[in-house]
Amino acid sequence: MDPENLPVINNYLDASEPVSSEARLSRMHFHDNQRKVDYVLAYHYRKRGVHPGQGSPGHSLAIVSNGETGKEPRAGGHGDIELGPLDALEEERKEQREEFEHNLMEAGLELEKDLENKSQGSIFVRIHAPWQVLAREAEFLKIKVPTKKMYEIKSEGSIAKKFNELLQKLSSPLKPRVPEHSSNKMKNLSYPFSREKMYLYNIQDKDTFFDNATRSRIVHEILKRTACSRANNTMGINSLIANNIYEAAYPLHDGEYDSPGDDMNDRKLLYQEWARYGVFYKFQPIDLIRKYFGEKIGLYFAWLGLYTSFLIPSSVIGVIVFLYGCATIEEDIPSKEMCDQQNAFTMCPLCDKSCDYWNLSSACGTAKASHLFDNPATVFFSIFMALWATMFLENWKRLQMRLGYFWDLTGIEEEEEHSRPEYETKVREKMLKASGKSVVQKLGTNMTENEDEDDEDKLTWKDRFPGYLVNFASILFMIALTFSIVFGVIVYRITTAAALSLNKTTRSNVRVTVTATAVIINLVVILILDEIYGAVATWLTKIEVPKTEQTFEERLILKAFLLKFVNAYSPIFYVAFFKGRFVGRPGSYVYVFDGYRMEECAPGGCLMELCIQLSIIMLGKQLIQNNIFEIGVPKLKKLFRKLKDETEPRETDSAHSKHPEQWDLDYSLEPYTGLTPEYMEMIIQFGFVTLFVASFPLAPVFALLNNVIEVRLDAKKFVTELRRPDAVRTKDIGIWFDILSGIGKFSVISNAFVIAVTSDFIPRLVYQYAYSHNGTLHGFVNHTLSFFNVSQLKEGTQPENSQFDQEVQFCRFKDYREPPWAPNPYEFSKQYWSILSARLAFVIIFQNLVMFLSVLVDWMIPDIPTDISDQIKKEKGLLVDFFLKEEHEKLKLSDEPGQRSLGGGRHSRSRAPSSAPSGRSQPGSIASSGSQHTNV
Amino acid sequence: MDPENLPVINNYLDASEPVSSEARLSRMHFHDNQRKVDYVLAYHYRKRGVHPGQGSPGHSLAIVSNGETGKEPRAGGHGDIELGPLDALEEERKEQREEFEHNLMEAGLELEKDLENKSQGSIFVRIHAPWQVLAREAEFLKIKVPTKKMYEIKSEGSIAKKFNELLQKLSSPLKPRVPEHSSNKMKNLSYPFSREKMYLYNIQDKDTFFDNATRSRIVHEILKRTACSRANNTMGINSLIANNIYEAAYPLHDGEYDSPGDDMNDRKLLYQEWARYGVFYKFQPIDLIRKYFGEKIGLYFAWLGLYTSFLIPSSVIGVIVFLYGCATIEEDIPSKEMCDQQNAFTMCPLCDKSCDYWNLSSACGTAKASHLFDNPATVFFSIFMALWATMFLENWKRLQMRLGYFWDLTGIEEEEEHSRPEYETKVREKMLKASGKSVVQKLGTNMTENEDEDDEDKLTWKDRFPGYLVNFASILFMIALTFSIVFGVIVYRITTAAALSLNKTTRSNVRVTVTATAVIINLVVILILDEIYGAVATWLTKIEVPKTEQTFEERLILKAFLLKFVNAYSPIFYVAFFKGRFVGRPGSYVYVFDGYRMEECAPGGCLMELCIQLSIIMLGKQLIQNNIFEIGVPKLKKLFRKLKDETEPRETDSAHSKHPEQWDLDYSLEPYTGLTPEYMEMIIQFGFVTLFVASFPLAPVFALLNNVIEVRLDAKKFVTELRRPDAVRTKDIGIWFDILSGIGKFSVISNAFVIAVTSDFIPRLVYQYAYSHNGTLHGFVNHTLSFFNVSQLKEGTQPENSQFDQEVQFCRFKDYREPPWAPNPYEFSKQYWSILSARLAFVIIFQNLVMFLSVLVDWMIPDIPTDISDQIKKEKGLLVDFFLKEEHEKLKLSDEPGQRSLGGGRHSRSRAPSSAPSGRSQPGSIASSGSQHTNV
């Protein structure tokens, strides 16, 4: 490399006075007002030996540019001042930064940087990528860019077309008013950028050919792979940030979102048409989101949008199911029978000693309420929801394909990822240790050493074993913790109920009080543990030292999901499947902790309680997490930082604070930390919507309401409160899809059990068809209640001061057991077993039927929409044609000078065939073969 | 195109006398002994007006060559002779052939063809593909070829390596002795062939650079897409064969497989090391198979091999389970109790009137036999087999990836397929009709016409509806037919049993006779229907008019599988789940056809009968299909053809018959008709092995024995009895994998039900833990038998001449019903319901547990073996390096002449950058990006 091309850092101001901030056109350019800032690195510096307040005032600007002549001035001018330990660290960091920035410039980037003219403060390194760097990297990254060729997207069949047009017209007020980037009718043929084939693309302005997101992606790519030999040879900006050498690295937003006036930028457009609650009814401008934030975030919002719109039909049907329950409440024979005062079922006391016998008609209210959710319509609703989940996933696959087509993601390969800094450190440590060991070994044998060598450059199972062990143990511990908290709440419920029922005044509201407080405790615990588990999952994943960023993310998600899932659902699973099943029977109750009877469900059935539990946890979680964690906490953080900033001596000059630069503004925003929490919240909600939908048909409605807000909340966060995230290219939503489909499958089983075991659906059916005398449910309540001879109550458990108006000989309890006068009293009766068989048979039939239907739906709906697969095929053909045409033209042009040259026939001939087949072989790499006859 | 390049057909012998057949080196070349025959087209001709026997004798050779000057001589010399209708057809065909052959030559192929010098006979058109055609097409087809670069395949970790070496040493006698094409240690870096980059490849001999299979594939590709305007513009050789214009088209085998002497060719090698029963114990030479027959057939044999080797462990465990049954037969308490003469359970008569009461101990034999298959070990075996199926599929995915890597199939795209001739015909018909209609419509409105236009060039749902309807109806009818045949056999059994039991002499063997004959009838029906259903499925798929060959194959397979599956398994499902369940009870039996009682299972339980049914159908199907259909029928066909040939007057000259050319030999072989029957046979067998493995643990053993033969049988067929198939490139086994995994999933449910419902496993367990007094099975038999008061037998159904030695008051029958003295006699008892609950609970637990384990196994085993994914990544990196190096060298070489040329600085400069980045962008299309730092 010749010395002319060596880039140079000018630490001092150039001859020309910079344009003052006010006069500059945009706050997103270098001070020469020409070069766009594509990326910003920020760090905090502290000058050695200089005490705060000693900084020299005045213009503090340095241009660090590329392509000028000169030598790199070492910053070692003050080198002889004695260094404190902190200063030494600071000095080292400074050197590392300098080397890194030097390397960046060697890679072709152009840098601008403020002078460190105060004792301490934030320094921003602005990075600009010139055209040749952009072109080179775009070629490397195989970024698809539009070619000159446009083509019409084939419209569908005649009826579908008309219907579509009508739909378009009807939904036009719902459309966000953003300029359409990809018209619905025409699409640019895209082809990976190649510097050889510039003639293919429609390059009008090299400054705007790549949009801002792409530019920053390219710079980020360079930042990620630039090494810094001083910092232990670490690779990339992420390691440097991890080592506190830089504080932050972010691309710039496109401007201010709330600037007054008509000047429009994408951020402002997004804010106005997407990130406000006022536009909640509109579709999302997905293409614009993708353009601004990149494909990964675009896919998230597309997914969220699809999920929300899928919630609409299920909400409608859920409400209908609920209304059906309301409408039929008066016709429900079992609850009428329960409410009928004349039936007078004398029930066994609910607790020992202090509780009295009671009349079943006093539980009339809960019976009626439970009919709202426990009616045959819910069975059909839960079948519907299982299929709905499959449909949703199938449609997501299709939407993903469609977006992939329009966003030119088809055929992108997985990007090779760099190892995480932590992984590299660990490998280095291992190699150091191994090389130490191998010296020792060389004295002994030299055979084993040879074999171990292979594994030295990576972590093996053996190295990872401790990490895995810790992981496994911690997860087990965490799950056990969750379970014991659930158990703790149960104990709380039992003891409180027992304590309250001693007191006569409180006795009437025992159940309500206890249930309500317990659910709230559960909710609070869930919310707290949710945050803790999130942190624990991160910690555990770090211990595992996964190799790449992608595996890190996947494992983190899996762990976090497992923990949060168990956390959110274990109290609900308890109520659904275990509560009230270990009560025992009068005369031989099951006791915990010496004297406390296990809790049982309310007389209306456990489904009612499940419904309460579910709705409170779901709504509470959503409301509190949305309001407090997503709105409140960021606001608080902002406030806190503002306060802190105000108490600290502000050193920035007045010009800055009046007209802050875009990088100042962005620096004050929260950094973007990934989509995991957003997805996680939605996935847990998806679980609430599908897993127990049989017991709570209103869940989709609440989810829908939440999501309409959630979309705008997230949008607002991304547009206004976060630094601009790096645009990440991705084809799909990754592991979330697997988790979603896993939940979908699990929901089939869970709903089957809720209907079969928790609800009264099966017993009613069995009674109606097997035991009832006239085929109606008359007598069902009587049938479900067993007899108990009160004389067999254990000593000391009888009601102490029975104020029941009749003489009680038999009391009733809800179970299928033999009566006291049978040869084997209180054993499970034949009814019990037959109903159990029916329940289990229902589970088998339901599960297999729904699974079969899901497979059928999955199989019937092609993963790739037919119009898209047609388009893709068509595009391949078009590309070949376009290429051949362009190559032909190019050939004609280049042939003329070729004939003029005196190189002669041999030379020009040797060139002609080599460029002609290249036109053929190149499209071949995207188009399918045998395509001499490509008839599109 | 200049007239110089027009290819020409010389129908007459050239000046030079051809080398006589004996003197030729190989029978696989043109008569110039240089150009290899890559493909052969054959047709039968009949000369107009010439009577047999008038043909002129002598050399009948014509060279049809490419690249010589001249005009195409029309074969219309005899044009004025009057034509019969047959002659007219013949003439038309001849013209079509001529046009087609002309088009082939225009595509660059070279043809040689015999003279039609006799009145009728077979003519072979030999096709040779010269280098430039091969190179052009290889580039189009993106055929990956080895580059110069070799690299070492990274070995695994130290322990695995040692173990591997040991394994290699141990298994060396099992290895076929074929030269290793891809060494285990080194692999050539492959890259799609490109004429621009010839320097990359190691081209020593242009004649052998592409192997024979690849050459014939290339020719076949040209044949497929060459049009023939005379024949209704049909595309490709397939249409021409369908229209009888050609009779056959096939590539040539590599020589004779049984030629004496040492000259070795791949076919002979395959025969000696693979396609003989003598080498049944050896591994298959998969790489050689792939090289000779192409990837599709290679994958089939690889799959078959993996399946067979997976059968080994399951056979071993199956045998152990069976032996466990044998060993514990004496300890089995229920069968001991049944055999105990002292217990003397008096059983109710098995038929009305003519049957007597009988003692349970007389069924001692079947009780003991059924223990062989009905013991707890089978439960574990069926769990094992469900996981085995998952493991097998996972391992197949891995093997497929591995083969894909070694065979350079990674990254090949789906080849765009041409429409099937039938589809094109149909579309043409439709367009004709539509254009007729649209003229009519133009008079009326001109709006609808416009909208219909879009759909005119393809078949819509509307066009296909009749086809789908016929399909649906036929399949339903066929399934109904199968069911009614099963029902017919049931009726046969019932009536025959009744008839035989009237006769005293036959009575003793009734059960054996009836069961055996019925199973044989079932078997015969299955075998016959199997053939019929195969034909019906083809017919139905043709009616559907699928667009491409691939969809045709997929739909055919699905239909054929559905029909054959129902056919093969419906009698088995009947025995497993329905037989003996609709018998009723003594006193109220279920009767069919007025007076025939429904059949019940033998006293040992239905499992025994299921086992008999299964083993006879499975073994019978395998033996008969293998022996008769796969060995016998081809032999018969051959014999028949031979006889026919001998009766016909032989006109071929003596030289030919003494030393037949390779194309003559191959012509006499059977044409290759696809792998569907081979796969289907194996898949149905896979069903036998997995679906009912709980009842017949020996199934894997029999399958293994069958497959060891099957592999060699199929191999022999492919090597010796079939024309060489076209080499087809494919990445996977397609829809078969889905079918396999579907069977695997279904087998979980089916085994769950077999264990729960058919076997006595659950009743024993329940008895042991719930009813037994001492926790053993003592008294189990008594517990399973209900009492019946013989006085309640219906009038006329009592045994007529009871010779039973005691006075019978109560007889026993196998069911759980209330005794006669209960308040509700003969109702299902509590035991019945509790056991039913247990059975159903078992199904739920088993199904969900096994499904969960399968998902776990699926998730734990990565689809891509880690070493392969490492290699693929490494290969990408190597490829980039290799490219850059080669480009660099090329650049250096080309720079020198570039400086010599007077074209000047501008010219050579403009070339240099354009070739350097091409080296960068090219590897970019295979390697991942950001790879400036690719450290492999």
Side-chain angles (χ1 to χ4, degrees), chain A residues 136-137 139-142 154-159 161-162 194-197 221 225-227 235 413-416 418 447 451-452 454-455 457-458 558 729 749 753 771 818 824 827-830 832-841 843-844 847-848 851 859 870 873 876-877 897-898 901-903 906-907 911 913-915 917-922 924-935, chain B residues 136-137 139-142 154-159 161-162 194-197 221 225-227 235 413-416 418 447 451-452 454-455 457-458 558 729 749 753 771 818 824 827-830 832-841 843-844 847-848 851 859 870 873 876-877 897-898 901-903 906-907 911 913-915 917-922 924-935:
Chain A
R136 185 189 70 207
E137 296 295 320
E139 195 175 309
F140 262 125
L141 293 172
K142 275 172 285 154
K154 214 167 155 189
S155 54
E156 282 149 272
S158 51
I159 306 164
K161 206 160 109 187
K162 264 192 184 166
S194 161
R195 281 172 294 174
E196 278 181 292
K197 304 201 173 54
E221 207 58 43
R225 64 155 199 261
T226 301
M235 285 275 276
E413 287 162 55
E414 291 227 343
E415 277 169 49
E416 211 171 303
H418 306 290
M447 197 181 134
E451 278 165 5
D452 278 348
D454 283 341
D455 299 333
D457 56 344
K458 59 182 184 186
L558 264 189
R729 199 162 47 160
I749 304 170
F753 273 99
Y771 296 101
E818 299 280 353
N824 39 7
E827 264 188 15
F828 286 119
S829 64
K830 199 201 278 186
Y832 175 84
W833 292 112
S834 60
I835 286 171
L836 183 61
S837 303
R839 287 184 201 265
L840 296 174
V843 170
I844 295 173
Q847 184 184 354
N848 288 300
M851 281 194 329
W859 183 72
D870 284 354
K873 273 183 203 152
K876 277 180 185 171
S901 90
L902 277 169
R906 200 195 127 280
H907 197 78
R911 264 179 67 220
S914 85
S915 73
S918 113
R920 269 179 171 170
S921 76
Q922 267 297 341
S925 70
I926 13 151
S928 207
S929 55
S931 40
Q932 276 191 326
H933 301 265
T934 318
N935 314 320
Chain B
R136 185 190 68 206
E137 296 295 321
E139 196 175 306
F140 261 124
L141 293 172
K142 275 172 284 152
K154 215 167 158 189
S155 51
E156 283 149 87
S158 53
I159 307 166
K161 205 160 110 188
K162 263 193 185 166
S194 161
R195 281 172 293 175
E196 278 183 294
K197 304 202 174 56
E221 206 58 45
R225 64 156 199 261
T226 301
M235 285 276 276
E413 287 160 55
E414 296 255 319
E415 278 169 46
E416 210 172 305
H418 306 289
M447 197 181 137
E451 277 165 7
D452 278 347
D454 284 343
D455 298 332
D457 57 344
K458 60 182 184 185
L558 265 188
R729 197 162 49 159
I749 304 169
F753 273 99
Y771 296 101
E818 299 281 352
N824 38 6
E827 264 189 16
F828 286 119
S829 65
K830 198 200 276 184
Y832 175 84
W833 292 110
S834 60
I835 287 171
L836 183 61
S837 302
R839 287 184 200 265
L840 295 174
V843 170
I844 295 174
Q847 183 183 353
N848 287 301
M851 280 194 332
W859 183 73
D870 284 354
K873 272 183 203 151
K876 277 182 185 168
S901 91
L902 277 169
R906 198 196 129 279
H907 196 76
R911 265 179 67 221
S914 87
S915 72
S918 115
R920 269 181 171 168
S921 77
Q922 266 299 338
S925 71
I926 15 153
S928 207
S929 54
S931 40
Q932 276 194 327
H933 299 266
T934 318
N935 314 320

Side-chain angles (χ1 to χ4, degrees), chain B residues 96-245:
Chain B
Q96 286 172 2
R97 276 195 291 267
E98 270 163 17
E99 193 210 339
F100 185 69
E101 283 156 23
H102 177 83
N103 288 343
L104 288 182
M105 284 189 284
E106 224 165 59
L109 297 177
E110 295 172 9
L111 275 66
E112 182 190 63
K113 167 178 194 176
D114 296 315
L115 277 182
E116 298 181 5
N117 58 347
K118 277 165 275 165
S119 66
Q120 62 176 26
S122 291
I123 290 286
F124 297 101
V125 182
R126 272 95 63 190
I127 303 177
H128 168 77
W131 169 253
Q132 61 269 31
V133 172
L134 290 174
R136 185 190 68 206
E137 296 295 321
E139 196 175 306
F140 261 124
L141 293 172
K142 275 172 284 152
I143 292 175
K144 280 193 180 177
V145 290
T147 59
K148 287 174 194 159
K149 173 89 177 174
M150 302 271 282
Y151 67 96
E152 199 183 352
I153 291 171
K154 215 167 158 189
S155 51
E156 283 149 87
S158 53
I159 307 166
K161 205 160 110 188
K162 263 193 185 166
F163 181 72
N164 245 0
E165 274 167 16
L166 187 71
L167 212 69
Q168 294 273 337
K169 216 172 275 177
L170 282 178
S171 65
S172 59
L174 301 182
K175 286 237 176 76
R177 273 166 300 146
V178 295
E180 300 219 359
H181 299 281
S182 59
S183 153
N184 278 333
K185 293 279 168 200
M186 300 293 282
K187 184 178 182 297
N188 269 91
L189 205 58
S190 294
Y191 189 70
F193 187 81
S194 161
R195 281 172 293 175
E196 278 183 294
K197 304 202 174 56
M198 297 282 251
Y199 54 90
L200 292 178
Y201 316 110
N202 207 354
I203 305 178
Q204 283 157 341
D205 182 355
K206 286 185 176 177
D207 284 349
T208 56
F209 182 68
F210 294 108
D211 60 27
N212 290 346
T214 311
R215 293 174 72 100
S216 63
R217 179 149 74 88
I218 286 171
V219 176
H220 186 232
E221 206 58 45
I222 298 173
L223 286 175
K224 272 203 296 192
R225 64 156 199 261
T226 301
C228 182
S229 63
R230 273 176 214 269
N232 279 330
N233 245 324
T234 44
M235 285 276 276
I237 185 70
N238 291 336
S239 314
L240 295 176
I241 290 177
N243 295 333
N244 270 322
I245 292 162

Side-chain angles (χ1 to χ4, degrees), chain B residues 612-624:
Chain B
I612 294 171
Q613 185 93 17
L614 199 59
S615 51
I616 290 184
I617 290 187
M618 180 180 167
L619 290 180
K621 201 165 175 299
Q622 284 183 353
L623 287 177
I624 292 175

Side-chain angles (χ1 to χ4, degrees), chain B residues 444-506:
Chain B
T445 68
N446 52 5
M447 197 181 137
T448 43
E449 176 240 348
N450 223 348
E451 277 165 7
D452 278 347
E453 230 162 45
D454 284 343
D455 298 332
E456 257 172 39
D457 57 344
K458 60 182 184 185
L459 294 185
T460 57
W461 175 257
K462 226 160 54 190
D463 302 307
R464 288 219 168 109
F465 185 69
Y468 284 142
L469 204 69
V470 172
N471 259 283
F472 187 71
S474 312
I475 288 174
L476 274 193
F477 170 75
M478 232 75 71
I479 291 177
L481 179 70
T482 312
F483 285 161
S484 49
I485 286 171
V486 172
F487 187 69
V489 175
I490 296 168
V491 171
Y492 161 82
R493 265 202 299 253
I494 295 173
T495 51
T496 320
L500 287 178
S501 53
L502 285 177
N503 186 334
K504 268 187 197 157
T505 53
T506 52

Side-chain angles (χ1 to χ4, degrees), chain B residues 731-778:
Chain B
K731 260 198 293 194
D732 51 34
I733 59 172
I735 198 171
W736 294 113
F737 187 85
D738 299 320
I739 292 180
L740 275 175
S741 91
I743 291 181
K745 289 204 180 88
F746 187 58
S747 79
V748 176
I749 304 169
S750 126
N751 276 311
F753 273 99
V754 168
I755 297 172
V757 176
T758 318
S759 90
D760 265 352
F761 177 71
I762 300 293
R764 287 177 191 210
L765 221 61
V766 171
Y767 178 79
Q768 204 167 354
Y769 292 105
Y771 296 101
S772 171
H773 297 292
N774 50 5
T776 64
L777 280 172
H778 286 290

